[in-house]
Amino acid sequence: MLALNNVEVVYDGVILVLKGVSLNAEEGQITTLLGANGAGKTTTLKAISGLLHTERGQVTKGSVELDGERLDRLQPFDVVKRGVAQVFEGRRVFENLSVEENLIAGAHSRRNYADVRAGIDRVYASFPVLKERRHVSAGYLSGGEQQMLVIGRALMSDPKVILLDEPSLGLAPMVIDEIFGVIRRLKDEQNITVLLVEQNAALALDIADHGYVMENGRIVLEGPAESLRQNSDIKEFYLGLNEAGTRRSYRDTKNYRRRKRWLS
Ligand SMILES: Nc1ncnc2c1ncn2[C@@H]1O[C@H](COP(=O)(O)OP(=O)(O)O)[C@@H](O)[C@H]1O
Ligand SMILES: [Mg+2]
């Protein structure tokens, strides 16, 4: 299990962004972290992967543990070695490298060529389209294919836990369905623990086992995904539905946000 215990994060020595975040991602489950833009979701992932250091951010309180072992004092490279891989926001592929070269670039923790090859073949088995396009420059892939490539690249480190930052962002609905199918299979077929950050609550709660809602650097709500789907605040605030279950207009939702800082 991946556990954050009362984690505080400060940027530039003064900006308190995470104000005591506790959450668990249970082994072999999909846990989703929801929240509006600026809530602190990406910061939470970086606190886990050790990437805060590169942004003058620091965990100033609390701890991050994987199966009881502290991660929060490790360098990013060592966090990957412990089995935690992060997929960044925005599908950052190496555009001028081929698909296969991108995968090789994710293989730094592997010992020899046979090992790298085995990893690549496993990724191709999960994503046949990447195999078809293995010699194509990654810059020429579609958005969905690039998202598969960055997930595939993360899988090259053979992770126990994968952190995904808004994989649906900017993709067409059909492509999102495909990516979410991929995420479900990580869990079902490879027993990978998934921590999925999303703004798209409806989609994320659909595949997640458990969910957390973050607002202003704090967890304001948590529970089994099923119960969050039924939660009236979530329905109104994130799914844009009213009590009768009909969709509200965007403007209604925006006014609602202004009116109510819920659960504060
Ligand atoms: N490197 C940084 N330095 C200072 N502030 C930052 C930095 N990165 C993020 N922040 C601030 O932290 C808050 C949370 O950001 P972030 O974790 O990216 O939220 P989210 O991913 O939920 O949109 C925002 O107010 C953002 O401006
Ligand atoms: Mg973010």
Side-chain angles (χ1 to χ4, degrees):
M1 181 182 76
L2 175 71
L4 275 75
N5 308 303
N6 201 24
V7 169
E8 253 183 35
V9 168
V10 172
Y11 283 116
D12 292 321
V14 287
I15 310 163
L16 179 64
V17 170
L18 295 192
K19 302 161 184 167
V21 169
S22 296
L23 67 83
N24 295 334
E26 299 286 344
E27 199 177 320
Q29 293 200 350
I30 299 177
T31 302
T32 187
L33 175 60
L34 306 170
N37 211 4
K41 304 180 300 299
T42 297
T43 300
T44 304
L45 296 188
K46 286 180 180 162
I48 299 167
S49 59
L51 287 166
L52 283 173
H53 306 293
T54 60
E55 297 209 26
R56 295 194 293 171
Q58 221 186 340
V59 174
T60 47
K61 220 172 99 180
S63 65
V64 180
E65 293 176 8
L66 180 65
D67 300 329
E69 259 193 282
R70 291 283 290 258
L71 296 182
D72 50 279
R73 305 245 159 79
L74 302 179
Q75 292 300 314
F77 180 78
D78 289 314
V79 175
V80 174
K81 274 209 273 193
R82 300 290 164 95
V84 181
Q86 178 169 3
V87 176
F88 302 103
E89 207 171 349
R91 302 186 276 285
R92 282 180 241 168
V93 298
F94 301 115
E95 295 192 351
N96 298 317
L97 299 185
S98 71
V99 166
E100 189 150 309
E101 287 164 343
N102 267 270
L103 293 177
I104 292 169
H108 42 71
S109 63
R110 289 181 184 256
R111 290 178 313 274
N112 54 47
Y113 183 72
D115 201 21
V116 172
R117 196 65 246 172
I120 290 173
D121 289 339
R122 249 183 56 182
V123 171
Y124 287 161
S126 304
F127 307 99
V129 65
L130 293 183
K131 185 173 187 183
E132 271 166 39
R133 313 211 64 185
R134 63 188 178 278
H135 300 305
V136 174
S137 296
Y140 289 109
L141 299 181
S142 70
E145 289 165 347
Q146 288 185 345
Q147 186 62 59
M148 287 182 203
L149 179 55
V150 291
I151 293 174
R153 192 169 66 196
L155 292 176
M156 288 297 290
S157 66
D158 208 6
K160 286 188 272 191
V161 180
I162 192 160
L163 314 174
L164 295 167
D165 201 353
E166 305 210 31
S168 76
L169 201 68
L171 296 179
M174 260 176 59
V175 181
I176 294 175
D177 282 350
E178 210 178 328
I179 297 296
F180 274 59
V182 163
I183 296 168
R184 204 191 298 262
R185 291 207 306 276
L186 295 180
K187 169 190 151 172
D188 290 346
E189 292 168 13
Q190 304 190 43
N191 197 39
I192 293 177
T193 304
V194 178
L195 180 57
L196 169 66
V197 159
E198 265 297 336
Q199 281 191 56
N200 193 329
L203 278 170
L205 289 174
D206 226 29
I207 64 164
D209 299 287
H210 202 87
Y212 293 83
V213 178
M214 177 173 256
E215 200 175 274
N216 269 322
R218 289 196 172 85
I219 301 293
V220 293
L221 197 59
E222 73 149 305
E226 173 59 29
S227 81
L228 292 184
R229 277 199 295 274
Q230 303 305 326
N231 181 290
S232 56
D233 278 329
I234 297 254
K235 276 188 184 165
E236 237 181 292
F237 189 78
Y238 282 105
L239 309 182
L241 299 172
N242 61 21
E243 282 301 316
T246 50
R247 195 155 276 277
R248 297 163 68 102
S249 75
Y250 175 66
R251 187 196 271 149
D252 283 348
T253 308
K254 231 171 63 181
N255 288 337
Y256 179 78
R257 285 185 192 200
R258 228 174 267 134
R259 218 167 55 233
K260 186 182 174 196
R261 305 298 294 169
W262 50 296
L263 295 176
S264 56

